[in-house]
Amino acid sequence: MKNSNIFKDKVIWITGASSGIGEALVYEFAGLGARLVISSNEPAGLERVKNNCGKNAGMVKCVPFDLSDTSEIGEIVAKQVRDYGQIDFLLNIGGISQRARIEETPLWLDRKIFEINYFGTISITKAVLPFMISRKSGYIAATSSITGRFGFPLRSAYSASKQALHGFFETLYLENKTSNIRTSVIIPGRVRTQISMHALDARGIEHGKMDEGQAIGLTPAKAARIIIRGIVKNKREIPVGKKEMTLLYIRRIWPWLFFRIADKIKST
Ligand SMILES: NC(=O)c1ccc[n+]([C@@H]2O[C@H](COP(=O)([O-])OP(=O)(O)OC[C@H]3O[C@@H](n4cnc5c(N)ncnc54)[C@H](OP(=O)(O)O)[C@@H]3O)[C@@H](O)[C@H]2O)c1
């Protein structure tokens, strides 16, 4: 990949690395010679991903932690900085979706989804940021969703948690331009991952079904390559998807048309 050698020997921390988009990013970056810190809440899943890196597995370190429990994140980050001396790239990919109507969703579940998608993401970001500011160098990405740009049935807390990330990360960028901290918000549409399988229903139990739209989405490998191109080009927003991405522009330019189309989309 053109320009991709900017990642060689860099320390890249990826959350959500045990599955889907995060996992695919691990394989791409491992192939580009990066030193990788990979996180999720599943130690066994992370070990599997590390082993899949073959001859590059020695460059991969597994650091499992639960995004919904931020109590130890400061120490976890400080340890990686001690071990590596720096974090060059932090890619916040980990997240969880939802499949429940608003009136069925108990408040604890709204909070849980926010804890993982929003507070988990900003917690590791806030812990890494001071180290990047002191070096005047660093890159941080968050992963939103097209439903982080508009509401969508059965995803009230998910959509809201992703919309919140836009506010946080735009502010992060504006506050830190002079510190040479670059940021992006990744905006996936449909990517063929486990996201709908792991989405939480009104009881907080995994939905366990592959959405029809998901099944025809981009492959995670293709999504990872689009994301890496976006990072290389230093894009503020990185859209990742197929024709569903036109909804972003329709929502912005013709909101009335968006609501007509969204009314007709089968929401599962
Ligand atoms: N796929 C899509 O179509 C799509 C569309 C829009 C946005 N996104 C976003 O893209 C990101 C990646 O999702 P994906 O599609 O790759 O889904 P995925 O295959 O389900 O992967 C989600 C990742 O997040 C991790 N995760 C979930 N809950 C966690 C927790 N409490 N603590 C730590 N890690 C946790 C999972 O790890 P463990 O479960 O192993 O801990 C897994 O590695 C998410 O932020 C998602 O919202 C995806």
Side-chain angles (χ1 to χ4, degrees), residues 16-22 40-42 65-68 93-96 116 143-146 158 162 188-195 198 214:
S18 60
S19 176
I21 299 171
S40 85
N41 201 21
E42 265 304 325
F65 72 94
D66 184 351
L67 281 166
S68 70
I93 309 294
I96 194 138
I116 296 171
T143 308
S144 173
S145 161
I146 47 172
Y158 180 70
K162 296 296 191 179
R190 287 164 164 171
V191 184
R192 211 180 311 152
T193 68
Q194 298 295 304
I195 191 84
H198 294 152
Q214 213 83 59

Side-chain angles (χ1 to χ4, degrees), residues 82-103:
R82 278 196 303 274
D83 289 356
Y84 288 95
Q86 69 211 60
I87 305 294
D88 297 296
F89 294 82
L90 169 62
L91 305 189
N92 290 295
I93 309 294
I96 194 138
S97 192
Q98 175 189 16
R99 293 295 181 276
R101 289 177 61 88
I102 293 172
E103 73 275 17

Side-chain angles (χ1 to χ4, degrees), residues 80-215:
Q80 308 324 309
V81 174
R82 278 196 303 274
D83 289 356
Y84 288 95
Q86 69 211 60
I87 305 294
D88 297 296
F89 294 82
L90 169 62
L91 305 189
N92 290 295
I93 309 294
I96 194 138
S97 192
Q98 175 189 16
R99 293 295 181 276
R101 289 177 61 88
I102 293 172
E103 73 275 17
E104 299 167 346
T105 304
L107 199 54
W108 63 261
L109 186 54
D110 292 87
R111 289 190 197 282
K112 177 170 181 169
I113 291 168
F114 259 80
E115 287 296 345
I116 296 171
N117 291 350
Y118 181 72
F119 288 106
T121 296
I122 72 159
S123 154
I124 183 169
T125 297
K126 283 161 75 85
V128 166
L129 184 63
F131 295 107
M132 290 186 171
I133 290 175
S134 67
R135 292 181 67 231
K136 284 201 172 297
S137 171
Y139 170 91
I140 309 179
T143 308
S144 173
S145 161
I146 47 172
T147 59
R149 283 307 201 191
F150 45 73
F152 200 74
L154 310 184
R155 292 158 179 74
S156 52
Y158 180 70
S159 166
S161 66
K162 296 296 191 179
Q163 300 209 24
L165 286 175
H166 285 273
F168 183 93
F169 275 80
E170 283 167 18
T171 305
L172 174 62
Y173 170 71
L174 291 168
E175 284 184 357
N176 288 289
K177 274 196 307 196
T178 52
S179 307
N180 193 30
I181 310 300
R182 294 168 298 127
T183 66
S184 303
V185 179
I186 299 161
I187 308 179
R190 287 164 164 171
V191 184
R192 211 180 311 152
T193 68
Q194 298 295 304
I195 191 84
S196 68
M197 304 286 289
H198 294 152
L200 301 178
D201 70 12
R203 299 159 298 170
I205 293 171
E206 289 193 357
H207 176 62
K209 290 182 206 143
M210 174 67 80
D211 287 356
E212 279 173 29
Q214 213 83 59

Side-chain angles (χ1 to χ4, degrees), residues 7-12 29-30 32-38 50 53-62 84:
F7 302 111
K8 182 148 178 53
D9 296 327
K10 292 291 188 289
V11 180
I12 303 182
F29 283 122
L32 294 170
R35 292 181 285 165
L36 288 159
V37 181
I38 66 172
K50 174 179 168 141
C53 291
K55 65 177 174 31
N56 297 315
M59 302 283 270
V60 181
K61 178 181 177 190
C62 301
Y84 288 95

